[in-house]
Amino acid sequence: MARIYLDKLCNVLRTKNAGPFRYTLDIMFRDPRDYRAVIDSRLLTREIIAAAYATTTENITNFESFDNISAFKATIKRKIASGSPGDSDCYGMNQEGPMLQISFPEEAFLHRLLA
Amino acid sequence: MKPIKTVTPTGCIGNRGINREAFIRVLDEERPDVVAADAGSLDCGPWYLGAGKAHSPLKNITWDLDLLLTECVPRKIPVIIGSAGGSGANAHVQLTVDLIHEIAKKRGLNFRLAVIRSEVNKSYLAQRASAERITGIDGLEPLTPTDVESCSTIVGMMGVEPLMKALNAGAEVIIAGRAADNAVIGSFAVWRGADKGLALHMGDIMECGDTALIETQKLLRGLGPNRIPIIGTIGEGYFQLKAGHPSLACTPQSAAAHSLYERSSMYSSAQPGGVLDTSGALYEQVDPVTTRVTGTKFISTNPYTVLLEGARRVGYRSVTILGVRSPRMIEQIDQILEQLRESVIALFKDEGKIKIHFHVYGKNAVLGGHEFSNNVSHELGVVADVVADTQALAHQVADDIWLRLSFWRYEGRQTTAGNCAVLFSPNVIDGGETFDLKIYHQLPVDDPCALFPVEILNV
């Protein structure tokens, strides 16, 4: 079965520091119907984010969704604080890569198949 | 309540520069009650706080301050700038105040200037830390007097109260040390009687200026000072946001996107003296370029707490950057670097404390352990970051690293004249003092203004 990648459904897919010890993932869907499909079929969860980032769910401090703006948010503990020796991304603004591998089964998006 | 209009001309004073034409048009057409912007962040890491240096180009800071004073002072529009100079320590505030004096003199401007400092006295804080439990944020241990002593610079983050105190004193221009961005932008509206939750939420969305806007028509923004103002109007039970340029718009999603920005949670966030509850916030489009927000609440906490930020010097940095193109070496790079690290540390360990971090660009340098791709580039950029007790030691270690890596006898080596493309002469760059963030704690205070003295000057 064909799969749809998360980044194809979003107009914002980004990361940024949330304080010096965390970075946060902002996932904003372009079409509220895609967002609704993801919510209804529980396609995006704390576990899926943890797996994508090769980490445990304990390191995901927040996992949230917000219907009004068709958005998800997840916040991850940093291994090294922003700008401390050893840190590779001071602003935490280039950590979105692992989200590019997240994909969903096409059949969850009925409105797309019917369109 | 008469609606109050706030303009934020840029996401950060000195960051790319305010677009002059757009800013002047907004002042003339919108006639705002106040112009407010932040000038810094901790996002750039602890070095700027520790070293007392600005993190924006001085030329751009001067451009922005000059434009703000020259256009706002004659129009009698108050100007509020927070986290002055980048980190808001005394050195940063002074740098900004010196520029303000220079510009005022050059332009023949006179105004009442409030300077609010935010550096925390170390002996006072050490005493507090020994007498009571001062809790850390994001898992940090409670503060100890030794932590306080180890820091070269400590600042407190002010809320709206010291800024309102300056407004009460008749300030026309406010240069504040470390301050919550949303307090800098929301303080004037709160001072005029607006709801604090709405004013701070408005500040949260406006704090990065045009970042909360989307392009509706292609706008060439690559050249020159290009930050476009954002306009926030706050009334009874709502605030609304729009762009200071016809090619940009504020939509529910662009506003909400910035409400999420740099926050752990989209439902609530800790603020000086309370919590901003955005869980009931509603974003509605009122016209093609304007978004209205309702439903945000500020919940006061008792006692009032102030966030502290303290930078500790951990040593001195030297860096060497080496290109690796040989496929045989690329194949073995991880083990080569580990063996090299051991041999270098064995050689220098009696000279002082040394930390070596290798960042191998082309092989998981950006994502590290979070990387999912197995691809390795056909060429690698090895950045060796050395932090040691003294600059001389760091420099020697970095020198030894480039020499050793360049002549490392790895399996199958044919490049007997040298293994690496060494970038730059000198081959080692000294980075000076290096800091980490040792203090990120919450200090309870009786008076929200106690840590932030307000000084009034007639310029």
Side-chain angles (χ1 to χ4, degrees), chain B residues 360-381:
Chain B
V360 183
Y361 286 89
K363 192 174 184 186
N364 309 347
V366 175
L367 292 177
H370 298 310
E371 185 54 75
F372 61 96
S373 165
N374 297 318
N375 294 344
V376 176
S377 173
H378 67 283
E379 63 180 22
L380 301 178

Side-chain angles (χ1 to χ4, degrees), chain B residues 81 83 94 175 241 272 291 330 347 408:
Chain B
I81 293 169
S83 301
Q94 199 53 51
I175 299 299
L241 301 163
T291 286
I330 289 175
L347 183 63
W408 195 263

Side-chain angles (χ1 to χ4, degrees), chain A residues 11 14 16-24 26 28-29 52-55 62 64-66 68-73 75-76 79 82-88 90-91 94-95 97-98 100-101, chain B residues 42-46 55 137-140 252-253 256-258 260-267 278-279 281-283 314 317 357 359 361 365-367 369-370 372 385 387 434-437 440:
Chain A
N11 48 16
R14 67 181 185 192
K16 190 75 204 283
N17 286 346
F21 303 105
R22 309 262 193 272
Y23 58 84
T24 191
D26 294 336
M28 302 186 79
F29 284 75
Y53 280 81
T55 188
N62 300 71
E64 304 172 347
S65 58
F66 209 96
N68 180 224
I69 51 171
S70 304
F72 285 86
K73 189 177 201 32
T75 300
I76 300 186
K79 287 180 186 150
S82 156
S84 286
D87 176 33
S88 65
C90 186
Y91 295 81
N94 207 196
Q95 301 298 307
L100 301 177
Q101 61 181 324
Chain B
L42 188 60
D43 233 20
C44 47
H55 80 279
I137 293 174
D138 291 348
L140 286 195
Q253 215 181 39
H258 210 74
L260 310 185
Y261 186 73
E262 294 178 342
R263 296 265 179 238
S264 288
S265 167
M266 57 177 126
Y267 305 139
T278 44
S279 61
L282 198 63
Y283 303 81
V314 291
R317 162 171 286 141
H357 293 280
H359 299 271
Y361 286 89
V366 175
L367 292 177
H370 298 310
F372 61 96
D385 175 27
V387 176
T434 303
F435 295 86
D436 70 3
L437 192 76
Y440 197 58

Side-chain angles (χ1 to χ4, degrees), chain B residues 220-368:
Chain B
L220 185 65
R221 291 201 289 164
L223 303 172
N226 64 8
R227 299 301 301 252
I228 303 293
I230 181 167
I231 303 142
T233 306
I234 185 162
E236 207 68 66
Y238 75 93
F239 65 89
Q240 44 189 62
L241 301 163
K242 66 174 183 178
H245 195 282
S247 295
L248 297 169
C250 189
T251 66
Q253 215 181 39
S254 77
H258 210 74
S259 178
L260 310 185
Y261 186 73
E262 294 178 342
R263 296 265 179 238
S264 288
S265 167
M266 57 177 126
Y267 305 139
S268 73
S269 60
Q271 304 294 336
V275 172
L276 188 63
D277 177 2
T278 44
S279 61
L282 198 63
Y283 303 81
E284 295 164 285
Q285 187 107 40
V286 286
D287 64 44
V289 295
T290 311
T291 286
R292 175 184 284 237
V293 183
T294 53
T296 314
K297 290 185 178 67
F298 184 81
I299 301 156
S300 298
T301 48
N302 193 16
Y304 190 108
T305 58
V306 170
L307 173 65
L308 302 175
E309 298 167 344
R312 172 180 70 161
R313 192 174 72 203
V314 291
Y316 293 80
R317 162 171 286 141
S318 291
V319 172
T320 184
I321 304 173
L322 310 165
V324 176
R325 181 62 180 80
S326 158
R328 288 191 174 89
M329 191 170 180
I330 289 175
E331 233 169 63
Q332 303 170 54
I333 193 72
D334 293 342
Q335 68 199 66
I336 292 172
L337 292 177
E338 275 326 299
Q339 289 165 3
L340 186 143
R341 183 203 306 273
E342 278 171 32
S343 65
V344 172
I345 287 187
L347 183 63
F348 286 95
K349 68 178 190 311
D350 296 334
E351 311 277 326
K353 214 165 68 198
I354 305 160
K355 275 259 192 234
I356 302 170
H357 293 280
F358 290 114
H359 299 271
V360 183
Y361 286 89
K363 192 174 184 186
N364 309 347
V366 175
L367 292 177

